[in-house]
Amino acid sequence: MTDINPLFPENAVSLVKEHLTPALFNDLKGKRTKNEFTLEQAIQSGIQNPDSSIGIYAGDAESYRTFSKIFDPVIESYHGCPGSPIHRSDLTRPDLSDSVLSSGRVRSFRIRVARNIANLPFPPLVGSTDREKVEERTVNALQELKGDLGGSYYPLGELTGAKRKELAQKHLLFEKGDRFMEAAGINRDWPDSRGIFVSNNQKFAVWINEEDHLRIISMDKSGDMMGTFDRLSRALVFLEKRLTFARDPRLGYLTSCPSNLGTGMRAGVHMHLPDFNNQRALLNTTAEKYNLQIRGSHGEKTEVLDGIVDISNRQRLGITEKQCIETLHRGVCAIIRTTGTDWTTGTDL
Ligand code: ADP
Ligand code: MG
């Protein structure tokens, strides 16, 4: 196509490349937010990585207004709601009578939400002083948590040896970001002011200053979906009283990557699909049909190892938190049906 912006490599597949015409680029290239974030910074990751699926990041809350002409079509395409998706929130418990998540196929259940503190630049732009403020305010709030949410904070720069290994093995650790995050500016000053708060029972964690200021995580190995959702809801109610998060009436919680807007929620399972290599096409078709995302065993853009696949809701804006869980549940049921043995009963379907 001739009307594609020449800034992007020819083989780039990102949504930003698809929507950023030369005319739009010229219209937006001179604009900047009050924090001096530019379009060129926003699209760096998409320019440097032809395999980016989105390719544009926000440097602050204002980016979504200043560059709305490019963010809006990307947001509509990603979240699958033409005509501007609107944020809706519902943290009531989903009603899942026949949870398959306790089946042997599901090895663990994880829900995370992304949040950023209002009036501070987001990770692609934040400077060291503001990054320190994020860490300090968040840790102060988390240290007030009691009961099953109470725990300890580990600054990443000091996290070494056995504890680091243990957290990595339990999927609670985050490492320096990949080339997509590197190009977006998220890895600057690594590992300063980054850290992980983990509850004593290791079912609740908060990642500080990763891709967003906060990634709030609830996990469970037994597939206890309700318990995992309740724990996350309680943590959110608590944190909302102590921190003010960046949010917008239309776009919901504001995040570095537009794929996380709205609820900021990715609810997923690690599922064991022993025949993954042969069932890849079938899995992709089912995932597409049920609006799910497939990731590797160690997260986004990683390989599937030993048949452990990460399956989660794809849409996060224009859908409530409750619906994120229901979407996942419906999809996982379908995947179990289409890929063979039901491990709850041990029978072939
Ligand atoms: P996100 O950015 O949505 O939090 P990533 O794809 O970056 O997720 O993965 C972050 C980490 O979370 C990785 O270590 C991944 O293995 C782990 N993870 C994701 N889903 C699960 C799950 N259901 N159970 C256990 N760990 C998980
Ligand atoms: Mg991630």
Side-chain angles (χ1 to χ4, degrees):
M1 272 165 77
T2 49
D3 65 340
I4 290 300
N5 195 290
L7 276 172
F8 293 95
E10 214 169 297
N11 58 341
V13 294
S14 61
L15 287 178
V16 69
K17 178 184 172 185
E18 189 184 324
H19 293 285
L20 191 64
T21 59
L24 191 48
F25 178 78
N26 284 329
D27 177 16
L28 297 177
K29 72 174 184 215
K31 295 192 194 268
R32 46 189 63 217
T33 66
K34 283 193 198 75
N35 296 312
E36 303 284 324
F37 195 65
T38 62
L39 178 67
E40 219 169 305
Q41 281 172 285
I43 63 176
Q44 260 321 299
S45 196
I47 291 173
Q48 290 182 33
N49 297 291
D51 52 338
S52 287
S53 50
I54 311 242
I56 183 166
Y57 286 85
D60 48 21
E62 200 191 324
S63 303
Y64 285 107
R65 292 190 296 275
T66 306
F67 307 111
S68 62
K69 285 184 188 164
I70 179 60
F71 273 112
D72 282 354
V74 168
I75 291 166
E76 286 175 29
S77 287
Y78 177 83
H79 294 281
C81 311
S84 270
I86 298 277
H87 172 60
R88 294 180 299 139
S89 180
D90 181 3
L91 275 169
T92 57
R93 280 167 146 228
D95 177 24
L96 308 172
S97 41
D98 61 338
S99 181
V100 291
L101 300 191
S102 53
S103 94
R105 282 280 195 105
V106 173
R107 296 293 163 85
S108 76
F109 177 45
R110 175 181 185 265
I111 319 174
R112 62 81 165 153
V113 297
R115 296 285 186 269
N116 288 284
I117 295 182
N119 303 318
L120 291 175
F122 297 171
L125 180 65
V126 71
S128 46
T129 310
D130 285 337
R131 199 188 287 111
E132 268 171 38
K133 276 188 204 160
V134 170
E135 182 187 33
E136 193 188 325
R137 288 188 204 171
T138 309
V139 173
N140 283 344
L142 290 168
Q143 278 169 344
E144 284 176 48
L145 282 167
K146 303 264 169 357
D148 66 327
L149 296 174
S152 311
Y153 179 62
Y154 303 93
L156 270 200
E158 296 165 24
L159 186 58
T160 53
K163 192 74 204 175
R164 190 179 181 100
K165 266 197 194 130
E166 181 197 344
L167 295 184
Q169 193 250 327
K170 293 183 170 162
H171 294 275
L172 288 163
L173 181 74
F174 69 93
E175 307 272 7
K176 191 170 183 176
D178 57 19
R179 61 191 160 85
F180 301 88
M181 293 211 239
E182 176 71 34
I186 293 171
N187 290 340
R188 284 167 306 118
D189 309 319
W190 183 267
D192 295 357
S193 306
R194 274 76 168 196
I196 304 171
F197 176 89
V198 189
S199 67
N200 298 325
N201 65 12
Q202 300 193 327
K203 291 185 175 195
F204 170 70
V206 179
W207 288 357
I208 300 178
N209 287 318
E210 198 239 8
E211 188 181 313
D212 290 291
H213 292 159
L214 282 81
R215 286 289 174 94
I216 305 164
I217 302 164
S218 180
M219 284 171 71
D220 192 80
K221 280 223 155 286
S222 71
D224 172 12
M225 219 168 182
M226 291 302 98
T228 309
F229 189 76
D230 277 353
R231 188 162 48 244
L232 183 78
S233 305
R234 281 187 286 119
L236 289 179
V237 169
F238 173 90
L239 286 171
E240 289 271 3
K241 286 191 191 134
R242 280 154 184 86
L243 301 169
T244 306
F245 295 127
R247 106 177 253 188
D248 173 271
R250 182 171 68 95
L251 299 175
Y253 290 101
L254 299 175
T255 51
S256 298
C257 178
S259 64
N260 286 317
L261 290 167
T263 58
M265 181 175 278
R266 189 169 84 85
V269 294
H270 266 181
M271 193 168 175
H272 186 224
L273 292 175
D275 205 14
F276 171 76
N277 284 331
N278 293 320
Q279 294 183 318
R280 211 178 189 127
L282 179 61
L283 187 62
N284 285 341
T285 311
T286 314
E288 183 87 7
K289 182 167 167 200
Y290 288 86
N291 211 2
L292 301 173
Q293 207 169 56
I294 308 283
R295 297 184 178 188
S297 315
H298 290 281
E300 201 168 9
K301 314 252 171 26
T302 65
E303 294 298 305
V304 171
L305 303 172
D306 302 322
I308 298 292
V309 187
D310 171 344
I311 296 161
S312 61
N313 61 297
R314 176 182 158 82
Q315 184 183 358
R316 314 191 223 289
L317 170 63
I319 182 174
T320 67
E321 293 82 356
K322 183 182 178 196
Q323 288 170 329
C324 289
I325 309 288
E326 288 166 352
T327 301
L328 173 74
H329 186 257
R330 216 171 16 250
V332 170
C333 288
I335 288 170
I336 289 182
R337 270 198 315 275
T338 51
T339 57
T341 307
D342 176 358
W343 289 64
T344 39
T345 60
T347 52
D348 284 334
L349 297 173

